Amino acid sequence: DAKTTQPNSMESNEEEPVHLPCNHSTISGTDYIHWYRQLPSQGPEYVIHGLTSNVNNRMASLAIAEDRKSSTLILHRATLRDAAVYYCILDDQGAQKLVFGQGTRLTINP
Amino acid sequence: NAGVTQTPEFQVLKTGQSMTLQCAQDMNHEYMSWYRQDPGMGLRLIHYSVGAGITDQGEVPNGYNVSRSTTEDFPLRLLSAAPSQTSVYFCASSYSTSSSSYEQYFGPGTRLTVT
């Protein structure tokens, strides 16, 4: 399975943008890039996914590098509720067998 | 829609006991899966199903059985509980095709302790 590398933790301030990086240098052409987040004591929550082009939705934006070896999840205006563990995951050919790493623990300061 | 529901929320078992964790979804999703999450770790895939009557093993299947007799339900059975199976169990569901990728919806989890 293609693997991803994320920083263990990041910190930001409320109402500021947050850029969460993810490296996936061994990505294949059929791997979709997914982001999920997990709030304390809850199940993971889907954030966004993409294949080649940048994607936007009501929660976040996903910026994918031209060579697809890295991506960045962008939270445009962080709130305290965005404090969570964020997972960057590759889905091979849409097989849906997600492989969760350790993720990035995001702390938001008031 | 209720989404993905799991029961029970909490469970304590003694070593050697068996039990079934229930998972149901009302979104008519073909794909369902079970994950476990140990403290401080990411989720690991136990078993998954791409439709009624079809199941397959994930990363950590030993000690668990599944069946999928209906689209809605995907129960996970612990055959003989061991302390190493103490974990939080999450069920998930999604659409499934061979040509795209879809978001997965996760249940609230079952917190299992084996003593």
Side-chain angles (χ1 to χ4, degrees):
Chain A
D1 293 328
K3 288 188 167 43
T4 63
T5 304
Q6 300 177 251
N8 287 337
S9 62
M10 290 184 64
E11 200 169 326
S12 186
N13 298 319
E14 200 175 9
E15 299 186 5
E16 291 184 357
V18 181
H19 290 236
L20 294 164
C22 181
N23 287 322
H24 27 79
S25 58
T26 59
I27 192 171
S28 73
T30 54
D31 287 335
Y32 289 81
I33 302 161
H34 280 246
W35 285 82
Y36 284 77
R37 71 181 185 181
Q38 188 173 22
L39 278 64
S41 300
Q42 294 189 25
E45 175 187 31
Y46 168 82
V47 178
I48 200 166
H49 80 280
L51 183 60
T52 56
S53 303
N54 294 345
V55 184
N56 300 297
N57 66 20
R58 64 176 178 81
M59 289 182 70
S61 295
L62 175 60
I64 301 172
E66 197 168 329
D67 63 4
R68 300 210 326 126
K69 294 184 186 300
S70 66
S71 61
T72 302
L73 179 70
I74 303 165
L75 307 178
H76 294 287
R77 196 163 170 267
T79 69
L80 296 178
R81 196 192 171 279
D82 292 321
V85 178
Y86 286 79
Y87 296 98
C88 170
I89 302 165
L90 301 183
D91 180 17
D92 183 15
Q93 300 182 60
Q96 309 281 51
K97 293 189 286 183
L98 304 183
V99 178
F100 286 77
Q102 298 272 55
T104 296
R105 182 172 299 278
L106 177 64
T107 300
I108 303 296
N109 300 314
Chain B
N1 287 350
V4 179
T5 58
Q6 293 184 235
T7 55
E9 185 178 353
F10 298 94
Q11 182 70 50
V12 179
L13 290 178
K14 293 188 188 313
T15 297
Q17 287 184 316
S18 63
M19 79 159 294
T20 299
L21 279 61
Q22 301 293 342
C23 175
Q25 52 90 12
D26 61 358
M27 297 172 281
N28 202 32
H29 286 164
E30 300 95 337
Y31 183 89
M32 296 186 74
S33 57
W34 277 100
Y35 292 84
R36 61 175 286 174
Q37 184 173 33
D38 299 332
M41 307 290 288
L43 282 71
R44 292 184 293 170
L45 182 64
I46 304 172
H47 285 285
Y48 64 98
S49 169
V50 299
I54 306 169
T55 64
D56 206 344
Q57 297 180 351
E59 180 187 356
V60 288
N62 292 341
Y64 308 94
N65 271 357
V66 291
S67 59
R68 183 95 180 269
S69 56
T70 67
T71 299
E72 295 78 19
D73 300 298
F74 191 44
L76 177 72
R77 184 167 178 80
L78 278 69
L79 308 172
S80 176
S84 60
Q85 293 179 303
T86 293
S87 190
V88 182
Y89 291 83
F90 292 103
C91 179
S93 75
S94 71
Y95 293 108
S96 178
T97 71
S98 60
S99 60
S100 188
S101 184
Y102 295 94
E103 64 183 280
Q104 293 199 25
Y105 295 79
F106 284 81
T110 293
R111 285 143 185 84
L112 175 68
T113 301
V114 183
T115 60

